[in-house]
Amino acid sequence: MEVVKNIKNVVVLTKLHNTVFEKVDSLNPSKNIVALKKAANILKNNGLVAFPTETVYGLGANALKEDAVKKIYIAKGRPSDNPLIVHIADKNDIYPLVDSVPKNALILMDKFWPGALTIILKKSSIIPITTSGGLDTVAIRMPNNKIALSLIKECGFPLAAPSANTSTKPSPTLATHVYKDLNGKIDMIIDGGSCAFGIESTVVEVFYDNINILRPGSITKEMLETVITNVTIDKAITDTNLNLLPKSPGMKYKHYAPLGDVFIVDGEINNIVHYILKSLKNDKENNIKSIVIASSETINNYSSFNTLNIGSRQNLNLIAKNLFNTLRECDNLNIDKIYIESFLEQGVGLAVMNRLKKAASYKIINV
Ligand code: AMP
Ligand code: MG
């Protein structure tokens, strides 16, 4: 890999290399042990391998090797102060990586690991500063995906793995999404089918008597409250004041954005449909290629325009699963303007709306 430009704190990669693409059985990865060993060998040699998790595809490197981790930032074009999540294959593997494991962390690990919950703790000295984006804390997760767990075990070291997309693009929920963004920039892509949740993990910081959600995900506040009494949501998530500095560095960057301009339309559902219909008609008259991302309940209203169905409003988990693929589909269709109906900010809806607001750069039309 060859690096040339360094714009602000983003390094840009120019020289391409050959990316190997291998399918691995998601239910029984040992059937494809040759491919897994090939991937582990690449990782042992400080290379990059994209692999499926239950949230989104991750771009893995040896979390303990600075030279390996640096390549992640370069391949993704990720700002160097945006820390990586470290993935482990066994709960006990957390101990060498952190200063100490407080009681609340143990409770969370017990209830939600393996699973879509990332825990932030004070890091130990074996975590390079590049992995933690310059912070003295580290984000750790044990994924609930057989391929991810087998790969980490095969390596024998933890894998730093942010989402395997180009920075600012929607996260990848299929191996083809990874291929589109990173082919020629990484060593290998493991295709393990579609990701079960399709939205990134919930990130929490853990304190003595409370936990604070830094990024909402498929493990909801309500689920966390079943085991921890005091669960707060960081102001940077609920407040749309963009000057508020997020404690989770990744949340300050432009994210999840397709090429077209995204507008969220919020309000009473009949008003939303009415506003979007009017806008689509107006765009058509002005030769603007626009589309609506609608729910199954409302999609028939837009039958004379471009539409993408994101799923039923009754099933927010399905909407989360379809979200990034639907945003990427807009790019495939070369859409200039994207209208999307808003969803209830409850349960997984909080994570869905968090990602949508970022995709829309906070352009929300209240009707
Ligand atoms: P990604 O890996 O692309 O899903 O992004 C990881 C997310 O976790 C980003 O929003 C990071 O800012 C956040 N994160 C990782 N490590 C830390 C940390 N030590 N403190 C706060 N947030 C973190
Ligand atoms: Mg990401």
Side-chain angles (χ1 to χ4, degrees):
M1 247 198 272
E2 199 168 282
V3 178
V4 274
K5 279 182 250 158
N6 194 337
I7 311 159
K8 288 190 185 155
N9 53 359
V10 180
V11 181
V12 177
L13 171 77
T14 49
K15 193 169 177 194
L16 302 184
H17 61 167
N18 186 30
T19 304
V20 179
F21 196 93
E22 295 263 7
K23 281 199 173 164
V24 172
D25 188 312
S26 58
L27 297 175
N28 188 3
S30 59
K31 273 191 192 163
N32 304 99
I33 189 67
V34 176
L36 284 176
K37 281 194 185 295
K38 191 192 282 183
N41 261 332
I42 291 170
L43 291 160
K44 284 173 190 171
N45 287 304
N46 292 348
L48 299 182
V49 176
F51 60 94
T53 80
E54 80 278 37
T55 60
V56 300
Y57 271 75
L59 179 59
N62 185 342
L64 308 181
K65 287 279 177 350
E66 180 143 22
D67 284 351
V69 163
K70 269 184 185 158
K71 292 179 186 168
I72 290 182
Y73 289 92
I74 296 167
K76 278 179 63 78
R78 184 175 174 108
S80 57
D81 66 346
N82 188 1
L84 309 174
I85 295 174
V86 175
H87 293 70
I88 56 177
D90 186 292
K91 288 177 195 173
N92 287 323
D93 292 345
I94 193 173
Y95 290 97
L97 309 177
V98 296
D99 239 21
S100 67
V101 183
K103 187 161 171 264
N104 274 341
L106 283 172
I107 293 171
L108 293 173
M109 287 156 60
D110 210 41
K111 173 80 179 174
F112 297 109
W113 280 9
L117 181 71
T118 297
I119 297 174
I120 312 262
L121 292 172
K122 280 265 176 301
K123 76 175 193 71
S124 74
S125 60
I126 68 165
I127 298 286
I129 207 82
T130 318
T131 302
S132 68
L135 301 174
D136 63 355
T137 51
V138 61
I140 302 178
R141 177 167 104 82
M142 179 181 173
N144 188 12
N145 175 291
K146 286 185 177 172
I147 297 175
L149 293 171
S150 308
L151 180 63
I152 301 165
K153 279 188 193 140
E154 200 60 49
C155 288
F157 46 77
L159 293 179
S163 49
N165 54 317
T166 299
S167 269
T168 81
K169 288 277 149 213
S171 298
T173 56
L174 291 169
T176 48
H177 298 161
V178 183
Y179 184 86
K180 186 149 194 212
D181 280 14
L182 299 177
N183 181 38
K185 296 182 177 176
I186 63 177
D187 300 293
M188 181 170 175
I189 299 169
I190 296 178
D191 182 355
S194 70
C195 301
F197 289 130
I199 208 156
E200 303 90 340
S201 61
T202 307
V203 177
V204 295
E205 48 181 358
V206 177
F207 300 105
Y208 179 72
D209 53 14
N210 74 302
I211 64 167
N212 186 35
I213 301 176
L214 297 182
R215 177 175 75 181
S218 43
I219 306 246
T220 62
K221 180 173 189 273
E222 293 77 7
M223 288 160 78
L224 294 166
E225 280 168 343
T226 62
V227 288
I228 306 273
T229 321
N230 190 354
V231 183
T232 50
I233 300 178
D234 203 68
K235 272 207 175 60
I237 296 168
T238 46
D239 209 316
T240 40
N241 173 7
L242 292 178
N243 294 323
L244 209 70
L245 204 64
K247 280 194 242 163
S248 179
M251 303 305 274
K252 76 184 172 206
Y253 291 109
K254 181 181 169 186
H255 232 125
Y256 317 120
L259 296 170
D261 242 356
V262 181
F263 297 86
I264 300 172
V265 186
D266 189 23
E268 205 267 309
I269 195 71
N270 291 326
N271 295 344
I272 294 179
V273 171
H274 183 255
Y275 178 89
I276 295 179
L277 274 174
K278 203 176 71 185
S279 308
L280 291 168
K281 191 164 171 275
N282 196 40
D283 290 342
K284 206 172 196 175
E285 283 163 10
N286 289 296
N287 288 322
I288 297 168
K289 199 168 177 195
S290 61
I291 201 165
V292 53
I293 297 179
S295 51
S296 345
E297 286 84 358
T298 55
I299 197 144
N300 288 340
N301 290 293
Y302 309 109
S303 51
S304 43
F305 298 100
N306 294 321
T307 57
L308 284 170
N309 189 342
I310 195 167
S312 166
R313 291 182 167 274
Q314 305 304 316
N315 188 351
L316 283 169
N317 280 316
L318 183 65
I319 287 177
K321 188 174 156 98
N322 291 338
L323 177 66
F324 291 130
N325 189 39
T326 309
L327 290 175
R328 279 179 176 265
E329 194 52 34
C330 295
D331 281 356
N332 297 339
L333 298 168
N334 283 318
I335 300 290
D336 298 317
K337 244 176 169 182
I338 301 154
Y339 300 95
I340 182 154
E341 301 171 347
S342 71
F343 298 96
L344 209 58
E345 282 182 272
Q346 254 170 30
V348 177
L350 183 68
V352 168
M353 286 305 290
N354 168 264
R355 306 308 191 270
L356 273 182
K357 284 176 190 172
K358 284 173 176 295
S361 298
Y362 294 88
K363 292 190 295 301
I364 304 168
I365 300 159
N366 292 296
V367 291

